[in-house]
Amino acid sequence: MLNAIINYHISKRVTFSTTLTYQTGKPSTFPTSYYFIEGLPYLDYSDRNEYRIPDYFRADISLTIEGNLRKKKWLHSSFVFSVYNLTSRENPYSVYFTKEEGRIISYQYAVIGVPILSATWIFKLGNFDAD
Amino acid sequence: MALLMLGGCIKEYHPRFNSESTQKYVVQGMLTNIEGWQEVNISISASLLNPEYIPLMDCQVEIRDDVNQKFTLEDSGNGTYRVWMSAEYLVPGRSYQLIVTTPNGQVLESAFDQMPKVPEVENIYFEVEDLPTNDPDEWLSGIQYYVDLNAGEDDSRFYRWQLTETWEYHSAYPIEYYYDGEVQHVFPPDYSQFYCWRTRVVDEIYTLSTQNLTENTYTKFPLHYVKNTTEKLSVYYSVLVKQIALSEKAYGYWDQLRINNTIGEGLYGSQPMVIEGNILNKSNPDIQVLGFFQASAVSSKRVFTAPIEGLELDYSDKCSPALLRKGLREITPNMYPAYLMSSGDGQWLPILLNDECVLCTLRFGVTEKPDFWPL
């Protein structure tokens, strides 16, 4: 598994961030072929965990715009605009097999397959430097 | 959450299999203690998208026993190789081995498998039972078959039962009237497509080991269940039970096959396993050979079951008579011959019978009565 986080301060109040995540796919046991014993069909399976589901890769970006930088203020806010899964990659959560018209068809299921846009308004007590 | 659900997707996935995984030799043979043709079947495994039987022809096949006798099998077509063996060569306690040479020169050799002894089939009987379904308010009705095993200390401790069921069923009506431009009267009514019999091998695997039991007996081992939602129990039903005594290795193979075919789904299901047979590819030991060559002793018993009092059947015979509101004009030439219902007193009624009402062969049976059928 590899994670990379890059932050770039465009100005005092504006920050651009990106996160890159990569993970090799989960090991899995797949049916590989059909064969017949005494006229009846059976499935042959691979060795345990011989195969992997496709790798996981995700890129996220965000833009943070801070409120004014005045020293004396009792409430500071910032806006965060972000895109989750920027590349729209359909990272498979699982791979499963099902029987259709006598054939075994495999499918991959991705929980999120589209970019997710979000906008967040964050408040904190104090000024920009306050924890 | 709604966004997440909209963003999820399912699409076809095409794993890249090794060719060695998808095309394996399949060798299946059972030598029995019963004098007659002994058969071995040789094929190639098929891809998941094209699940067809692929026979392997032109192999050289030989059976050897542990007293150095050899028997060459002849190719009888469709991947089946056979040899006639008389009883003197089929001896419980003797071990047998299979050797196959494929057309491209690969040698597949089985381990020796010892033929055990088998007792006669003790008792086969049924009980009317209800089974639960996924809906807690609904139950399945039918009959559950059982077998008793009563083996001696000399007999095998490992068994498999193979079931073949045959049942008689009838069409709803004989052929008495039909329309092909004119109403034709068949007298006497034609019953040639009224009585049918259908035979089917039960595809479940039944295995038992008495290795850990103090006695080599077992009472009330469950076999198959016949639901009341089929036509099987409507006229007369029969099941042929073959009791197959196995070596321990053969039992391990069939039990693994049984487990692989009954794996549960979801979080609590177990992973399927690679099933090890007893056949080695001597030319290429890294490539697995599917199947098993076994030397088994077999005894069999057939039981018949008449319709059961108190068990209500709830099945469809696929017969759907339809009223011809506009009379015979509703029948078009592409429907000929269109079967019509009889009033029972020499008249026809404007009621169209679909083919399933009069042709029992459309439900996959045959009109020839089996030799063993008592009625």
Side-chain angles (χ1 to χ4, degrees):
Chain A
M1 182 181 205
L2 294 171
N3 286 315
I5 302 173
I6 301 170
N7 290 319
Y8 178 66
H9 295 285
I10 300 172
S11 69
K12 281 186 183 175
R13 292 175 58 197
V14 180
T15 304
F16 172 81
S17 293
T18 183
T19 304
L20 302 170
T21 302
Y22 171 80
Q23 188 173 349
T24 53
K26 279 187 302 187
S28 193
T29 305
F30 288 168
T32 53
S33 64
Y34 251 110
Y35 64 104
F36 288 80
I37 297 290
E38 293 183 352
L40 297 173
Y42 294 93
L43 282 173
D44 184 34
Y45 292 91
S46 68
D47 288 337
R48 181 160 291 192
N49 295 334
E50 181 180 348
Y51 292 92
R52 288 179 180 270
I53 69 173
D55 294 348
Y56 181 99
F57 173 75
R58 199 187 78 240
D60 311 323
I61 57 170
S62 70
L63 191 73
T64 304
I65 302 173
E66 301 286 350
N68 65 65
L69 302 179
R70 270 184 266 163
K71 199 171 180 179
K72 287 186 180 175
K73 58 193 290 192
W74 66 277
L75 191 69
H76 177 79
S77 69
S78 55
F79 286 96
V80 181
F81 302 97
S82 66
V83 180
Y84 179 89
N85 193 22
L86 177 72
T87 57
S88 304
R89 183 175 163 86
E90 293 164 345
N91 289 305
Y93 171 74
S94 68
V95 167
Y96 63 93
F97 294 80
T98 184
K99 194 170 183 180
E100 293 174 12
E101 295 175 357
R103 307 185 312 161
I104 300 291
I105 312 286
S106 58
Y107 293 94
Q108 64 178 47
Y109 169 61
V111 176
I112 298 173
V114 296
I116 309 281
L117 279 67
S118 71
T120 312
W121 194 8
I122 302 171
F123 292 89
K124 64 176 179 179
L125 295 173
N127 61 16
F128 170 73
D129 285 324
D131 290 328
Chain B
M1 183 59 72
L3 274 175
L4 285 174
M5 288 170 69
L6 285 171
C9 72
I10 297 171
K11 66 179 185 184
E12 267 197 49
Y13 171 64
H14 302 286
R16 287 186 200 156
F17 294 125
N18 306 325
S19 60
E20 291 168 354
S21 303
T22 56
Q23 284 198 311
K24 296 180 180 176
Y25 290 117
V26 184
V27 179
Q28 182 64 29
M30 182 167 75
L31 192 77
T32 73
N33 59 325
I34 298 174
E35 178 174 280
W37 291 106
Q38 310 295 328
E39 292 187 350
V40 171
N41 190 274
I42 305 174
S43 61
I44 304 275
S45 63
S47 80
L48 299 178
L49 295 178
N50 291 304
E52 54 180 359
Y53 171 69
I54 306 173
L56 186 64
M57 261 83 90
D58 301 324
C59 296
Q60 292 167 34
V61 185
E62 190 176 84
I63 293 174
R64 294 179 191 171
D65 63 18
D66 57 1
V67 293
N68 286 324
Q69 295 182 111
K70 298 178 187 178
F71 308 89
T72 303
L73 282 73
E74 61 193 32
D75 187 346
S76 66
N78 204 31
T80 300
Y81 300 79
R82 60 179 194 171
V83 64
W84 182 274
M85 290 176 72
S86 51
E88 62 190 283
Y89 301 115
L90 301 165
V91 181
R94 197 169 284 181
S95 296
Y96 300 83
Q97 179 188 41
L98 178 73
I99 298 166
V100 175
T101 306
T102 65
N104 63 358
Q106 298 205 43
V107 177
L108 315 176
E109 190 176 290
S110 79
F112 275 96
D113 196 53
Q114 188 178 49
M115 183 181 291
K117 285 179 64 181
V118 69
E120 293 300 317
V121 181
E122 178 81 357
N123 268 330
I124 304 166
Y125 50 96
F126 66 86
E127 290 181 5
V128 178
E129 287 184 12
D130 291 341
L131 292 185
T133 65
N134 289 335
D135 183 345
D137 294 326
E138 274 195 32
W139 290 74
L140 203 58
S141 291
I143 57 174
Q144 172 68 54
Y145 276 90
Y146 295 96
V147 63
D148 292 339
L149 173 72
N150 189 10
E153 289 309 308
D154 287 346
D155 294 321
S156 173
R157 286 271 181 169
F158 306 97
Y159 295 91
R160 175 169 81 99
W161 286 274
Q162 186 186 55
L163 278 52
T164 306
E165 50 182 4
T166 303
W167 65 95
E168 179 181 341
Y169 65 96
H170 302 157
S171 305
Y173 304 93
I175 300 173
E176 202 169 346
Y177 292 95
Y178 67 91
Y179 182 76
D180 59 0
E182 287 181 4
V183 175
Q184 308 290 348
H185 182 207
V186 179
F187 186 79
D190 180 1
Y191 280 86
S192 66
Q193 293 271 328
F194 185 81
Y195 302 98
C196 267
W197 290 264
R198 188 173 167 195
T199 297
R200 178 186 161 267
V201 175
V202 175
D203 55 12
E204 287 161 51
I205 301 172
Y206 304 98
T207 52
L208 172 69
S209 165
T210 59
Q211 194 178 26
N212 295 326
L213 303 179
T214 49
E215 290 185 15
N216 196 0
T217 59
Y218 198 97
T219 304
K220 214 173 173 184
F221 181 84
L223 297 177
H224 69 309
Y225 183 82
V226 183
K227 301 180 283 194
N228 71 334
T229 52
T230 77
E231 64 195 0
K232 294 178 184 175
L233 302 174
S234 61
V235 180
Y236 213 50
Y237 177 84
S238 168
V239 60
L240 173 67
V241 176
K242 279 190 187 169
Q243 181 165 281
I244 304 169
L246 306 168
S247 62
E248 186 173 357
K249 195 98 198 293
Y251 168 79
Y253 171 81
W254 282 103
D255 204 46
Q256 284 184 344
L257 203 58
R258 177 186 65 79
I259 292 169
N260 256 18
N261 276 280
T262 53
I263 287 170
E265 295 179 2
L267 288 174
Y268 303 104
S270 55
Q271 278 217 45
M273 60 184 108
V274 173
I275 299 176
E276 292 187 15
N278 68 342
I279 303 173
L280 177 68
N281 186 334
K282 298 210 78 170
S283 309
N284 222 326
D286 292 336
I287 300 178
Q288 186 196 11
V289 178
L290 300 173
F292 200 95
F293 175 72
Q294 62 189 80
S296 299
V298 180
S299 61
S300 56
K301 188 170 191 172
R302 180 180 290 283
V303 293
F304 293 90
T305 304
I308 297 150
E309 201 177 315
L311 179 67
E312 202 178 307
L313 299 181
D314 180 22
Y315 69 93
S316 165
D317 60 4
K318 301 193 181 2
C319 176
S320 307
L323 179 65
L324 297 168
R325 296 182 193 281
K326 296 177 185 173
L328 296 174
R329 290 180 293 159
E330 280 188 49
I331 301 174
T332 54
N334 66 326
M335 296 162 71
Y336 296 166
Y339 301 100
L340 301 171
M341 188 182 282
S342 166
S343 65
D345 57 3
Q347 302 292 323
W348 58 271
L349 298 172
I351 296 175
L352 182 67
L353 301 175
N354 55 309
D355 290 352
E356 282 80 358
C357 294
V358 296
L359 303 176
C360 63
T361 49
L362 292 180
R363 281 142 62 192
F364 311 107
V366 298
T367 54
E368 194 179 326
K369 182 160 74 173
D371 294 338
F372 54 82
W373 209 251
L375 298 179

